[in-house]
Amino acid sequence: MLHLYNSLTKKVEDFEPIHKGEVGMYACGPTVYGFTHIGHGIKYVHDDVLRRVLEVLEELKVTHVQNVTDVGHLTSDADSGEDKMEKGAAKMGKTVWEVAEEFTEYFNKVMEQLNVLPPTVVCKATEHIPEQIALIERILANGYGYDTPEAVYFDVTKFADYGKMFNQSFDERTVGAREEVETGEHKKHPADFVLWFKRVGRFANHVMHWESPWGDGFPGWHIECSAMSMKYLGEQFDIHTGGEDHLSIHHPNEIAQSEAATGKKPFVKYWMHTAFLMVDGKKMSKSLGNLYKLTDLAEKGFSPLALRYYFLTTHYRKQMNFTWEGLNGAKTALTKLNKMVVDLTDIPVTADGWSAEGGEYYKKFVEAMEDDLNTSSALSIVWEMMKSEISDEAKKNLIVVMDSVLGLNLGTEEEKNMGVPEDIKEILTRREEFRKAKNWEQSDALRKEIEDRGYRVEDYAEGAKVEKI
Ligand code: AMP
Ligand code: ZN
């Protein structure tokens, strides 16, 4: 049975879905005002492993909903500061809509490279304004909010559990919200948060705005997740994920809004939070220049899947510290593992190919994953199995199943060129096209170009392979 740590109860619990055979899972998506970095990577890779465990090992039908925050998220999660989208747009000399589109696309590409399965539903905040307005109306009708000249607020004093959620003291939360007092002059309690911003005062020129029963304006950040998760998953659902930064403000606010509107508890049965990724022992930040992107890794010869392997070596609730040496270790391990799987290329995958000999390894692998997604232990079992004396047929069949959970694309064509810089791969792809068209002159010219950059090309029936000279 699957056991998951629930941040709401602070306990590892048996996982029992609300509806038999199905799981509703909501993941807080990116705020699309800047480049997706490896900190985002770790969170969504762990979400992806969770989803694959549910689908492959638990055989459940998963509806995975993820939002795109393209409005309402201010530089502080507690409603103070500037609008992140507008800040991004001003810096880039573009419209907020262009910025949103560009970074959403960038995010999707990064996810694809990390082999993260696309969510079942991707929903944009700006495309769900009526749903957010309707939810605010329900909250107000139930007496949990109030209207002021600058905004509509959620009244935390009306929600009895507000100070207890996730075992965060009320004080911790009000500290986060304190700075807002200056801006929200009609706010009754420092922890009250915005449901609807009016287009007045500091937001008089806010670019994204809509009509509402409370006047022209835009939604607060938290309401989008309540409105969209409930729209696609129902008023109560199974799993909600996010980075650990959401424990203090965003997720308590989501719970308060949703339960205030529906009167149903719990809004979500299991809450899961990924620990924040650190870089060289420090928090990631623009000023430290350590908000690494996949392209920064590619420049040093690291593939996105080496990063994925690296993430899996640490449990999702344990703080991981990214270092280049660590990533290099992961790359070496993955290259070796991949080579072992490539060597099994000709072994067929059969319906029950591993059960006789490999049953023990399969059992241990499942146990590790069912133990609150112990990916590092699952990886050790993969190695143990690959180095064991069981037949190649059993190995091949086991690794295929295990990899459908780990998502490392082991033994695939692309991974034959793992660790090769993206620009070399790009030349290789162009060369393949010339080869297909039998344009030998051009393909030889590109071979030379690759060699000049320090890589040797070897042609195989199933595609070319490059190796560092
Ligand atoms: P954002 O784009 O900042 O709204 O973040 C999108 C998701 O990525 C949220 O669930 C964040 O908690 C998570 N996230 C952002 N930075 C990190 C990091 N350094 N480590 C882990 N998760 C992160
Ligand atoms: Zn959210």
Side-chain angles (χ1 to χ4, degrees), residues 120-155:
T120 326
V121 176
V122 175
C123 39
K124 292 184 185 177
T126 51
E127 289 175 1
H128 293 78
I129 301 296
E131 287 86 346
Q132 295 176 66
I133 290 176
L135 193 62
I136 298 171
E137 284 181 316
R138 285 175 77 184
I139 293 169
L140 294 182
N142 290 346
Y144 288 93
Y146 57 95
D147 191 6
T148 75
E150 74 265 5
V152 177
Y153 290 104
F154 186 93
D155 186 344

Side-chain angles (χ1 to χ4, degrees), residues 19-92:
H19 303 289
K20 202 165 179 292
E22 305 172 10
V23 181
M25 162 178 169
Y26 184 86
C28 285
T31 308
V32 285
Y33 73 110
F35 289 106
T36 308
H37 52 68
I38 58 175
H40 298 118
I42 196 170
K43 194 266 168 186
Y44 295 105
V45 163
H46 283 303
D47 277 5
D48 187 54
V49 170
L50 165 66
R51 170 174 167 182
R52 288 165 182 261
V53 165
L54 293 166
E55 285 181 342
V56 179
L57 304 183
E58 308 303 310
E59 296 177 358
L60 296 164
K61 186 178 175 297
V62 180
T63 307
H64 172 193
V65 179
Q66 191 165 296
N67 67 309
V68 175
T69 297
D70 52 1
V71 67
H73 195 174
L74 306 192
T75 44
S76 146
D77 286 355
D79 302 333
S80 63
E82 295 165 76
D83 179 296
K84 287 190 176 187
M85 298 300 304
E86 293 204 350
K87 197 174 164 199
K91 219 167 80 188
M92 293 171 72

Side-chain angles (χ1 to χ4, degrees), residues 32 85 92-104:
V32 285
M85 298 300 304
M92 293 171 72
K94 295 193 173 174
T95 69
V96 276
W97 303 98
E98 285 165 346
V99 168
E101 198 182 318
E102 229 171 85
F103 288 121
T104 303

